[in-house]
Amino acid sequence: MPNITFIKVDGEQVEVDATVGNTVMEVAKELDLPMLAACGGSLACATCHVTVDEDWYKRLGEVSEDEEDLLDTAHYLTATSRLCCQIKISDDMDGLTVRLTPME
Ligand code: FES
């Protein structure tokens, strides 16, 4: 199980061994982390917005056009922003760290 770290807005870090095949959003919700994820992962809300570091951003692969469009509506957008309902966990994601964004 790949180990994933969430960094909350206040800096607290939460580590978890994540189940392959789940999305990062699903893992965050299971942990009851402060993330709205209002559309339940159907790529319609942008409230599962996280940022990743540059290396991981590249490793996670192409961002779809639909995700790009929705990200444009997100607050606190960065060059390495992702919608984490679109990041499916795989074995090679051990060490992935995502930073949560403030809920609004
Ligand atoms: Fe709505 Fe990810 S949960 S876009």
Side-chain angles (χ1 to χ4, degrees):
M1 281 182 159
N3 187 269
I4 289 181
T5 301
F6 292 89
I7 303 176
K8 293 184 182 178
V9 173
D10 65 5
E12 183 191 347
Q13 299 196 6
V14 179
E15 269 186 56
V16 64
D17 290 327
T19 303
V20 170
N22 281 355
T23 66
V24 172
M25 179 277 281
E26 288 167 333
V27 176
K29 295 302 278 183
E30 274 169 20
L31 291 168
D32 208 18
L33 293 173
M35 176 186 294
L36 203 50
C39 77
S42 56
L43 202 51
C45 72
T47 58
C48 63
H49 174 206
V50 297
T51 60
V52 296
D53 70 28
E54 211 176 317
D55 285 348
W56 273 108
Y57 185 80
K58 288 178 192 154
R59 285 174 65 176
L60 292 176
E62 287 289 301
V63 180
S64 72
E65 212 167 295
D66 287 344
E67 184 180 345
E68 292 268 19
D69 288 347
L70 203 50
L71 271 169
D72 284 340
T73 69
H75 297 281
Y76 308 104
L77 189 66
T78 72
T80 60
S81 288
R82 290 294 310 265
L83 296 178
C84 70
C85 69
Q86 301 301 301
I87 305 172
K88 198 168 256 194
I89 293 164
S90 56
D91 277 322
D92 60 358
M93 286 188 190
D94 192 52
L96 173 67
T97 300
V98 302
R99 190 174 290 272
L100 305 186
T101 49
M103 288 208 298
E104 295 197 347

